[in-house]
Amino acid sequence: MDRAVYGPGFGESPLIVFFLLQLQPYADRELLLIALSDDCGRSRLENEGSRSPGHSPPQPPRVLLCTVLVVVVAMDATAAPPTSAQEQQHNGDGRYGVLLYYKYAEVPDAPALVAFYEAHCRALALVGRVRVGPDGVNATLGGRMAALEKHIEEMSSNSLFDGTDFKLASCEDPVDERVARECGFTSLSVRLVKELVTLCSNPLLTTPEISFAGRHLSAAEFHSVLQSVGTSSDSEAPTKKNDVVVLDARNLYETRIGKFHVPNVETLHPDIRQYSEFPLWIDEHTEKLRGKSIMMYCTGGIRCEMASAYIRSKGEGFENVFQLYGGIQRYLEQFPDGGYFDGKNFVFDHRISVGSLKGNILGTCLICGFTYDDYSSRCRCSHCRMLVLVCSTCQDSTKEYVCELCVRNAKPCCPTSVRQDCQTESELSEFSAYGKPSISNKISTSKAPMSNGSEQLKKLRILCLHGFRQKASNFKGRTSALAKKLKHVAELVFIDAPHELSFVYQPKPDPCSDKPSPPSFTARTKFAWLVSPNTSCHTEQEWKIADGPFAPLQYEQQTEGLEESYTYLENTIAENGNFDGILGFSQGAAMAALLCRLQQKTYGSPKFRFGIFCSGYPAHVGNFDSELIRLPSLHCFGSGEGHDRQIASRASTELACMFEEDRRTIVEHDMGHIIPTRPPYIDRIKEFLCNFI
């Protein structure tokens, strides 16, 4: 039952040889050039020096987490269609499938691996997401069965994946494009990230070494342990029963529709919204777990790796941690009648869930309590945006839902008293530090005591979109005063836009030279959510003279790039947990409004509880009807002509009119192209936010 913790390295061979070998079956010069010219991997691939194994005990090497969930959704639009009947036969005659695998191993060059996945997946017409970081790969892909089998063959030929458990299953063609899009399986996205799987982003919490992970048990071994404990009588082994607990490492919405049930054995369900809350649950239940044999499980096994390592890192009394290898998926394959698993296995693809021959339904409708376990409607809690089960009849009668966690944890209070408590910072005491996943380096806490000492408020998590030719770091710096004013009620999370811009400048006349000189300071990378047609977006670190004068109304010409930005934002939301609201500044406000509009068109309503749009304008992009955006909104902009020299007041007013009138708040100020942080404007912003606490 023991297993190698980390896989083999690359030996003495140059890394470039590794990638040439991977691309050999696709000996196509264009494909080879694509792989070797990738921006992320170019510099590393030019180094042809050999690498040493790099393993020097006793310190374990950094490890790679390779997780690939391959789900067929649609052929990549960028891939050429089959040109012959023979090619169509090779592509599997339209059969779709799901492939799940992960692997811990050391990989020396993440950017080069990005280049390989980009070329390899596109060559096989796979769709989905691939995230590559210094600690590994996390990918969700889609393609025909033949392509998936080819993918398995390619990865198996690489010693990096020796011993990997490839879990492949055929499935039906996805019929609900809305579900497929929400799951992120309508296009291919390969990105380099800093960290793959974040157990918790709290800087005070030390991430455990993966070498501490619990021992793997096969489906048969896991079942055998449960059977031996669950079927023994109280007189035979009372101590043995009390020493075993079954621990679910999944989220509440997954546990609702399926979980393990073993007679006479305690099963623990953390009831968490997202994986990052798991360490806090463990910390709060340490004594309940101490000295027990902990049998952990999750969907495919990946979440148990780091979670079990966290438990075992607590030392004495936490040595006996075991995890179901291959997760529920392998267990149901081994025991198609369900075994000790009741209900359905929630999966993160277009299938939504996979059941056993048992066919029992555990879930119930949130509203009427009737037996129900179908998440295809994608109904979500109006407060935290977690998935909820609502039957079709109840969906017709109401559109506002409150999940059981919000009902359990909510502290009802008078709206007036909430506003009063939030008016001044002195009335709220500091939070105790504990963070949620964040793509910024700001970590904040989730709760704070109110002024009366008895009630607690949940800190709002707000996704922040910067303006044109800005970046997350400088937008964060410019809004530091705002973050400080809101530190008791909100966590601001900043991200870079996906379109990287060229370095351009307006030349100034130089009497000493006929050739204008570029700026003396170093060019810094800037980004945009929308760009003008034919805009040159590249990564050259050199200044270039602008084609013409900077026009005050240049934002009206920025009409390209919406699809990429929308996909990027949807993936960001999916990967980084729920956000309560969205805040956009200038072009960021325009993009935030477009995002809400697209979400409403796709899912029936935006995914946020509120939106804040500062110095915004309506971007005339896409084909939308005249339906107003159904989202509580606050619009903050300069009053009258001239107070904002970049975005006219009338443009910001026009953006505000895209939202429902009875749910929008307008705050006009006389301070130009900024987000005001002085009274009375900041008080209006606080008052608006406190409606959602």
Side-chain angles (χ1 to χ4, degrees), residues 53-120:
H55 182 69
S56 55
Q59 294 295 328
R62 297 182 66 184
V63 297
L64 164 70
L65 166 59
C66 293
T67 305
V68 180
L69 170 63
V70 182
V71 184
V72 180
V73 185
M75 296 296 289
D76 190 345
T78 62
T83 57
S84 68
Q86 182 179 4
E87 290 182 0
Q88 292 179 6
Q89 177 67 26
H90 174 74
N91 283 338
D93 290 331
R95 291 190 303 126
Y96 288 88
V98 175
L99 173 65
L100 172 65
Y101 70 88
Y102 69 89
K103 174 73 174 183
Y104 282 94
E106 182 185 10
V107 167
D109 197 328
L113 193 56
V114 168
F116 167 70
Y117 267 104
E118 181 80 36
H120 175 69

Side-chain angles (χ1 to χ4, degrees), residues 571-637:
N571 289 340
T572 295
I573 295 169
E575 294 169 7
N576 293 276
N578 297 317
F579 291 94
D580 296 288
I582 187 168
L583 181 152
F585 177 72
S586 195
Q587 190 191 77
M591 185 64 224
L594 287 170
L595 175 63
C596 293
R597 208 165 205 183
L598 283 166
Q599 288 178 342
Q600 180 169 297
K601 181 178 180 181
T602 304
Y603 309 120
S605 65
K607 293 183 178 180
F608 306 101
R609 297 169 57 198
F610 61 85
I612 300 177
F613 307 88
C614 302
S615 298
Y617 62 89
H620 301 292
V621 183
N623 297 318
F624 299 103
D625 52 33
S626 58
E627 183 181 12
L628 296 177
I629 300 174
R630 299 186 298 275
L631 181 75
S633 60
L634 182 142
H635 304 266
C636 185
F637 52 87

Side-chain angles (χ1 to χ4, degrees), residues 377-398:
S377 61
R378 314 308 282 180
C379 294
R380 293 182 179 273
C381 174
S382 300
H383 295 285
C384 69
R385 306 303 298 167
M386 182 171 64
L387 285 170
V388 292
L389 291 168
V390 182
C391 69
S392 56
T393 302
C394 291
Q395 288 177 41
D396 294 336
S397 61
T398 179

